[in-house]
Amino acid sequence: MSKSGSAAPPLPVPTPPSPSLAVPKKKPYPFWLGGVAATIAASITHPLDLTKVRLQASGDKRMIASLKKTVSTAGVRGLFDGISGTWMRQMSYSMCRFWAYEESKKFLGANTKDAPAWKLGLAGSMAGGIAGFVGNPGEIVMVRLQGDFAKPPEKRFNYKHCFDALFRMVREEGPSSLARGVGPNVFRAILMNASQLASYDFFKAELLKTSYFEDNIACHFTASFAAGTVATTVCSPADVLKSRIMNASGPGSSSTIGAIRTAIANEGPTFMFKGWVPAWMRLQPTTILIFLTLEQLKNGVDLMRGKGWDYL
């Protein structure tokens, strides 16, 4: 009561914040980031991938000897023969798989921190199926450009660059040539993306739940290291079977079931993981570089958006 006997005015009741003032939802990252990250990683590891292709296509037996042979015959620049095919492959296949993976996670409701592993795996499988189909021409171009100099001169394609390879394939072999090997390529892409992309997200989320990791390069390295190991293990049976069927001869030797039965009878189930160590040594650095680069590109986008670059 005031001195005049009248009641004091009531205190103002705080009003809840308007929905319009709520924290805005974070803008998605550009769809092409994954393709750029994979292109950077593949450019760094290109000499190793090139050497692997040449070991398979030539009589060379050792990686170091093959590297020295390339440098002695074509110089250091020779280690990057066919790099345009690698770029085409990454900017088609990899860009598509990262984009499709994010869209698949949204579709499945798996774009949260606590998304179950099976949903992440399914999203990766969907992304792999799409990207394996879209990126098949780039895959063919990359393999042909990398393996060309390992062939006798009379059997070389002598493509100038990736676009020359693409146009000549269509002109000389028909449009259907762009779909060669699309079945095995899609199957392997499904396995690779279900294991690599999904396991990276899973391991990263699990690491961030502990008190030992923050969202930094140490966490990204550890998660990508684990993802590379999982991807190598999951893809190993498909790689072994593909190699055996392609190298087999004789009637019925191209049968997948027949190849499995023969191998199990002669070597046991562990045959599916033969060559795991060299496969791991090849895939592991690529996986680590891709995810470390992708995370740094995302940090760069966040930094530029903070400076007003809203179009990113």
Side-chain angles (χ1 to χ4, degrees), residues 38-224:
T39 300
I40 294 172
S43 298
I44 295 172
T45 60
H46 182 79
L48 294 176
D49 203 41
L50 178 71
T51 302
K52 177 210 69 174
V53 172
R54 291 185 174 178
L55 283 171
Q56 293 173 341
S58 67
D60 296 340
K61 301 297 182 182
R62 297 181 179 179
M63 178 176 288
I64 300 300
S66 182
L67 284 168
K68 288 181 178 179
K69 180 180 176 182
T70 299
V71 173
S72 64
T73 56
V76 176
R77 186 177 177 181
L79 296 174
F80 294 90
D81 283 338
I83 189 85
S84 66
T86 297
W87 292 340
M88 172 176 279
R89 191 249 187 180
Q90 299 302 335
M91 290 305 291
S92 56
Y93 165 73
S94 288
M95 184 167 65
C96 182
R97 73 181 178 124
F98 278 99
W99 166 81
Y101 179 59
E102 293 301 323
E103 293 301 315
S104 298
K105 286 198 295 183
K106 293 177 187 177
F107 177 76
L108 297 170
N111 54 341
T112 61
K113 293 181 179 179
D114 297 321
W118 71 268
K119 281 191 176 183
L120 294 174
L122 181 57
S125 299
M126 293 166 65
I130 296 169
F133 179 80
V134 172
N136 199 69
E139 186 85 24
I140 300 172
V141 168
M142 181 188 73
V143 170
R144 287 192 175 190
L145 284 172
Q146 288 183 353
D148 213 29
F149 282 94
K151 298 177 180 179
E154 67 275 7
K155 294 184 178 180
R156 293 176 184 172
F157 293 107
N158 293 317
Y159 297 137
K160 297 177 182 178
H161 45 70
C162 61
F163 295 108
D164 179 51
L166 201 66
F167 296 147
R168 280 182 54 189
M169 282 177 62
V170 173
R171 185 173 66 248
E172 297 170 8
E173 305 172 46
S176 61
S177 64
L178 301 180
R180 285 182 177 174
V182 68
N185 192 41
V186 168
F187 179 64
R188 189 181 187 281
I190 290 173
L191 292 178
M192 175 61 70
N193 288 280
S195 55
Q196 189 187 58
L197 297 185
S199 61
Y200 176 77
D201 275 354
F202 174 78
F203 286 123
K204 180 182 174 183
E206 292 300 310
L207 290 171
L208 290 175
K209 291 177 183 178
T210 70
S211 58
Y212 302 103
F213 289 93
E214 297 179 357
D215 194 357
N216 54 25
I217 195 168
C219 176
H220 305 155
F221 177 87
T222 305
S224 59

Side-chain angles (χ1 to χ4, degrees), residues 29 294-306 312:
Y29 289 105
L294 180 59
E295 295 287 1
Q296 293 307 308
L297 288 175
K298 288 180 178 179
N299 291 340
V301 169
D302 289 336
L303 180 63
M304 300 310 293
R305 285 175 177 175
L312 281 176

Side-chain angles (χ1 to χ4, degrees), residues 241 244-263:
L241 285 173
R244 298 211 172 188
I245 291 170
M246 288 182 174
N247 286 313
S249 61
S253 59
S254 61
S255 166
T256 301
I257 301 299
I260 293 174
R261 286 176 176 171
T262 302

